[in-house]
Amino acid sequence: MPVKADQPQAHTATPVDLGAIFVSLELSKSTWLVTALSPGSEKMSRHAVTGGDIAGLFSCFATLRQKAQRRVDKLYPLVVIQEAGLDGFWLGRVLSKETWIESHIVEAASIAMPRRHRRAKTDRIDGETLIRAVMAWKRGEPRACSMVKLRTPEEEDNRRLGRERKTLIAERVFHVNRIKGLLFSQGIRDYEPLRRDRRQRLEELRTGDGRIVSKHLRAEICRELDRLELLLTQIKAVEAERDALMSRESTSAPARAATLLRIKGIGPEFATILYSEGLFRHFDNRRQVAAYAGLAPSPWQSGNVNREQGVSKAGNPRLRATMVELAWLWLRHQPNSALTFWFKERIARNSGRLKRPMIVALARKLLAALWKYVSSGVVIEGAVMKTA
């Protein structure tokens, strides 16, 4: 029987009984918003928990289970979802210890959102969106969202060395440029703060008009040198820890990462970043490897329009930047490898143009080849290995 235009349509009930209570967590420093959808109910309930209060959170979970049990006469497990953010993975580990909790951490950018110019965004709306996403994912829709793999504390800790060194290097560049800028304003162009005789040369400097460096300016530069020397000491300490980690003789992850050092052109820093940021994970194929690094292509196809937008950049930015840098070095240190020949042939086909897009393509191919080498021992064709 057709429905008339002026007749109100009955709302179709959404099937929510998937054998669990679905819970989303919106985490902030002061408050955790718990949004729940229980079997036998079509409305989502919301509860506020003090930020960081694990006991209060589990008490809220117990209350949800008791209410669902009184309604359906069955004790349901919980499926909990939260966004990957500043809280890291510690809460996911706490929840995963309980057998009645299935904990998931979702990549926020993978959830489909309205494309309106001005869309409403609140913790309440985000909590409901997470509930719908995890329910679709549990129903077997893999593209509803992308779940983040929960790393072990050891895997997270091994990444700290490479990331800390990158931060220290950036601070070193800042102080070096600061010192050079101060001296350049006085007409001094040839001072190198990273030389060992930096303090002795500072006393010998003369400005562009023949004066010695003024007292307060020299004092400011000396304080900059103090901070620079502290950074240099810390960088050496981090590099020593990194080298000790890579030189362990065992079947653990550091030993597998050390296999990258056998390839000419890959040093300790590259080997550490490549393994700790990506190659320690399990991948089923090379497409997954490229997608994790954000080096997968992004086609745009609609009707007769078919063009390429470049790489997605939706992966690990540190791994992607390292691979692009390594691709340039690969051409220099591995001139007779099959990948280098492939790159040069493509460049010659385009009359020497499109080097930058093609270096990204080389980085994608090189990452897949390194993954095969680390995981299966397949040596890259034509690659030169270091002598013992």
Side-chain angles (χ1 to χ4, degrees), residues 22-86:
F22 291 90
V23 179
S24 69
L25 301 179
E26 281 293 320
L27 309 179
S28 67
K29 184 177 181 181
S30 58
T31 306
W32 289 352
L33 180 62
V34 181
T35 306
L37 183 60
S38 303
S41 174
E42 298 180 8
K43 293 184 179 181
M44 298 186 187
S45 60
R46 296 166 189 85
H47 313 270
V49 178
T50 304
D53 186 6
I54 295 296
L57 182 64
F58 277 100
S59 177
C60 179
F61 289 167
T63 304
L64 292 173
R65 299 185 78 194
Q66 292 171 3
K67 288 183 179 179
Q69 186 178 19
R70 288 195 298 266
R71 187 185 304 114
V72 191
D73 194 20
K74 181 180 179 181
L75 193 60
Y76 284 96
L78 265 66
V79 177
V80 183
I81 184 173
Q82 67 183 84
E83 293 181 354
L86 293 177

Side-chain angles (χ1 to χ4, degrees), residues 211-314:
R211 297 177 293 105
I212 62 173
V213 179
S214 58
K215 178 178 64 174
H216 296 301
L217 179 59
R218 186 187 302 111
E220 181 180 359
I221 294 176
C222 286
R223 286 188 287 269
E224 287 285 346
L225 289 176
D226 292 340
R227 291 190 283 269
L228 178 61
E229 290 170 352
L230 175 61
L231 284 172
L232 294 176
T233 303
Q234 292 178 343
I235 291 173
K236 288 182 179 179
V238 170
E239 290 177 345
E241 290 184 33
R242 177 202 64 195
D243 295 340
L245 181 67
M246 297 290 289
S247 62
R248 291 178 186 171
E249 293 295 336
S250 65
T251 58
S252 60
R256 293 182 61 191
T259 59
L260 294 169
L261 293 174
R262 302 172 186 171
I263 303 176
K264 183 179 180 181
I266 298 181
E269 185 62 20
F270 274 161
T272 303
I273 294 178
L274 289 176
Y275 194 86
S276 62
E277 294 291 347
L279 297 182
F280 74 95
R281 299 171 62 98
H282 170 75
F283 299 101
D284 294 329
N285 50 60
R286 56 185 177 84
R287 294 181 180 85
Q288 292 184 2
V289 180
Y292 179 78
L295 292 171
S298 301
W300 177 276
Q301 184 176 0
S302 178
N304 295 327
V305 180
N306 189 359
R307 60 185 177 86
E308 184 61 49
Q309 303 178 99
V311 296
S312 64
K313 295 187 178 180

Side-chain angles (χ1 to χ4, degrees), residues 178-186 188 191 198-207 210-227 229:
R178 173 67 177 165
I179 294 172
K180 288 185 176 182
L182 291 172
L183 293 177
F184 192 86
S185 66
Q186 304 297 319
I188 302 174
Y191 182 75
R198 46 186 168 267
R199 294 188 180 271
Q200 177 183 351
R201 293 196 67 248
L202 180 62
E203 300 297 330
E204 302 172 354
L205 292 178
R206 293 296 181 269
T207 63
R211 297 177 293 105
I212 62 173
V213 179
S214 58
K215 178 178 64 174
H216 296 301
L217 179 59
R218 186 187 302 111
E220 181 180 359
I221 294 176
C222 286
R223 286 188 287 269
E224 287 285 346
L225 289 176
D226 292 340
R227 291 190 283 269
E229 290 170 352

Side-chain angles (χ1 to χ4, degrees), residues 151 155-164 166 257 260 269-281 283 289 292-294 315-323 367:
R151 301 181 181 90
E155 291 172 344
E156 278 198 63
D157 194 49
N158 288 338
R159 297 191 306 176
R160 295 260 55 88
L161 292 176
R163 296 187 177 188
E164 182 184 3
K166 184 177 181 179
L260 294 169
E269 185 62 20
F270 274 161
T272 303
I273 294 178
L274 289 176
Y275 194 86
S276 62
E277 294 291 347
L279 297 182
F280 74 95
R281 299 171 62 98
F283 299 101
V289 180
Y292 179 78
N316 190 313
R318 298 176 182 86
L319 180 60
R320 181 170 61 254
T322 301
M323 284 309 307
L367 179 60

